[in-house]
Amino acid sequence: METKPTYNRGLVLAVMLIAAIAGALMQTSLGTALPTLMKAFDIDLSTAQQATTWFLLANGMMVPLSAYLAKKVKTKTLHVVAYIMLLAGVLISMFTPENADSWWIFVAGRILAAIAVGIMMPLLQIVIVNMYGQKERGAAMGMMGLVVGMAPAIGPTLTGWILDKDHSFLGLTLSAHWQSIFVIPAIILAIAVVLAPIMMKNVVPNQEVSLDILSLVLSTVGFGFFLWGFTNVATAGWGDFGEVIAPIIVGVAFLLVFVWRQLKLDVPFLDVRVFKVKSFTIPTIALILAMMAMFGVEMMLPTYLQNVRGMSALHSGLTLMWGALFMGFLSPVAGVLYNKFGVKLLSFVGFGLLFVGTLPYIFLTAETPTIIVTVLYAIRMAGVALTLMPLTTAAMSALPDEKASDATAANNTLRQVSTSIVVALMTSVVQNIINNQTPGKALKLSDPIAYASKVLNASLDGFRAAFAISLAFAVIGFVITFFIKNQKEAK
């Protein structure tokens, strides 16, 4: 019989979710602001993208360390430190002077924020597993899905709204300036920093574990080079040995040594043995495919709306807002449905909706009605909502609670790497098709109308190919669902 803790679990979860909102916003909200940052700092696109690239790299490298920190450091202390680090990172980027020489300060703030998010997000899952019993865990994971899924989805729209014109927020004036995009996350984090020392509790049992420095170095270098290689694909191309192929090879080599060392250690830095449990590994693979299918369209669709349809960043974000709201609404519901029907049925329905919502995207044209794009996106996000948290809960429930930190770190590491890969893959596919099909400048001079038409068709072909890849992820995920054990939360 499960014993409920003496502290208020709802308050602990509330504090973590408040901070997670800001952390999730910082992960995806910057993309819409890149043109504004380029102009403000007088930098080119490749330089501006460093703000995203280094955030991704730092966040990915921190994930394996989260398991060790969760075991070694008290829960309350770890949360307070992470919230303060994230707030500091936000403020550093926010108050960076506007000139090219100061851009490294902006990036440094992003790196600090990424380190904090790399601690916070895995720890959120670990705390939920330790705080809630089998009967209640699905609903708690659903609430986490509301933040993890919805906040990144609305981030680009929120940024576009802020940059569109001056606004008023909580009595403050948000000017249409890049610094304003950090105001709301900073306010949310300030609230979390004040509440955490009062409401947070030491939920995760601490252990006397030592830090294996060699494992830390191997994982940091391995994941760093691996992700760095894939993030360079968009600018350097798949054939570039120095910037793409070599870093990936080096990363894989270090990661193989890392895995080998973990299997030899009595107390591993990251217990990769969790993947020997099929009821953990199979839902995790399905989860990765759902994430890749989601990011494949979520990343490319706003670019299609802006580049092909000529929409502003704000209006392209608003077009997708209903999908974000739909996902936010269904994520907690998915937790309840998981308790009632189990993960297998929800995964079938979820991947089925992903397939139905993605298939028409490979036939998009420059004249496709916006309402169709919006409805299809909402269907896709409903499918994502019905798969992410149930699959995560099923994977975590397959292992003993004492393995929660290792399982969470392994789960999040694969998710981080997979989303990095799909971003690089989609970008490179679209760019390569556009480059190969764009006519020469001679046609532009002799027949500008024909040139513009061919460029538009090249862009459409690129986006359709990317959407087809996302469709493939959904199909493979649906097939993997057949191998998932039809488990439900214990009653």
Side-chain angles (χ1 to χ4, degrees), residues 179-203:
Q179 288 179 319
S180 297
I181 67 178
F182 295 102
V183 172
I184 295 177
I187 292 174
I188 295 173
L189 283 168
I191 294 172
V193 169
V194 172
L195 294 179
I198 303 171
M199 298 166 60
M200 279 301 304
K201 302 297 179 181
N202 294 319
V203 176

Side-chain angles (χ1 to χ4, degrees), residues 59 95 99 136 153 332 337 340-341 343 412 432:
N59 185 261
F95 293 108
N99 59 75
E136 303 164 301
L337 294 176
K340 186 173 183 180
F341 298 106
V343 65
N412 279 275
N432 288 338

Side-chain angles (χ1 to χ4, degrees), residues 232-471:
N232 286 340
V233 170
T235 54
W238 284 104
D240 192 296
F241 183 82
E243 293 191 39
V244 177
I245 298 176
I248 291 176
I249 292 175
V250 172
V252 170
F254 272 87
L255 289 175
L256 289 175
V257 177
F258 171 76
V259 171
W260 174 82
R261 181 167 178 79
Q262 303 319 296
L263 295 174
K264 295 296 183 180
L265 291 174
D266 293 331
V267 182
F269 173 73
L270 178 64
D271 192 357
V272 296
R273 294 181 182 88
V274 294
F275 291 108
K276 292 182 178 180
V277 181
K278 291 177 63 176
S279 53
F280 169 81
T281 302
I282 294 176
T284 298
I285 293 173
L287 175 65
I288 290 170
L289 290 166
M291 292 288 293
M292 296 177 80
M294 178 183 75
F295 272 87
V297 171
E298 185 174 291
M299 180 194 69
M300 299 311 303
L301 200 55
T303 308
Y304 156 81
L305 292 172
Q306 293 180 47
N307 290 1
V308 176
R309 303 292 295 275
M311 289 186 177
S312 66
L314 173 61
H315 285 93
S316 66
L318 290 175
T319 302
L320 308 181
M321 178 60 73
W322 285 107
L325 294 176
F326 216 55
M327 182 175 179
F329 170 76
L330 282 180
S331 290
V333 176
V336 177
L337 294 176
Y338 172 72
N339 287 339
K340 186 173 183 180
F341 298 106
V343 65
K344 196 177 188 73
L345 178 60
L346 287 183
S347 296
F348 273 128
V349 175
F351 278 110
L353 290 175
L354 262 176
F355 176 84
V356 171
T358 306
L359 179 62
Y361 278 157
I362 66 177
F363 303 104
L364 286 180
T365 68
E367 293 79 28
T368 301
T370 304
I371 185 62
I372 292 180
V373 177
T374 302
V375 170
L376 290 174
Y377 189 72
I379 293 173
R380 294 188 80 261
M381 297 307 276
V384 171
L386 292 177
T387 54
L388 288 189
M389 284 307 105
L391 286 171
T392 301
T393 306
M396 298 297 291
S397 298
L399 297 170
D401 288 353
E402 59 267 21
K403 290 292 183 181
S405 57
D406 292 305
T408 299
N411 186 291
N412 279 275
T413 298
L414 291 182
R415 288 171 61 172
Q416 185 75 16
V417 172
S418 64
T419 52
S420 304
I421 292 173
V422 78
V423 168
L425 178 63
M426 296 300 184
T427 304
S428 63
V429 166
V430 173
Q431 193 62 57
N432 288 338
I433 291 177
I434 291 175
N435 291 342
N436 292 334
Q437 297 187 12
T438 297
K441 293 184 178 179
L443 181 63
K444 183 177 182 180
L445 296 175
S446 62
D447 192 343
I449 296 178
Y451 177 85
S453 176
K454 288 182 179 295
V455 170
L456 178 62
N457 289 333
S459 297
L460 281 171
D461 287 344
F463 288 123
R464 289 167 184 157
F467 296 145
I469 295 173
S470 290
L471 181 66

Side-chain angles (χ1 to χ4, degrees), residues 151-229:
I154 67 174
T157 305
L158 178 63
T159 299
W161 174 77
I162 291 173
L163 296 177
D164 183 56
K165 61 182 180 180
D166 294 350
H167 299 280
S168 178
F169 176 76
L170 297 178
L172 299 174
T173 298
L174 297 180
S175 61
H177 189 273
W178 66 267
Q179 288 179 319
S180 297
I181 67 178
F182 295 102
V183 172
I184 295 177
I187 292 174
I188 295 173
L189 283 168
I191 294 172
V193 169
V194 172
L195 294 179
I198 303 171
M199 298 166 60
M200 279 301 304
K201 302 297 179 181
N202 294 319
V203 176
V204 182
N206 289 135
Q207 304 174 24
E208 285 297 326
V209 292
S210 58
L211 178 61
D212 184 56
I213 301 298
L214 180 56
S215 292
L216 175 61
V217 172
L218 289 171
S219 65
T220 300
V221 175
F223 284 110
F225 272 90
F226 188 75
L227 294 176
W228 181 41

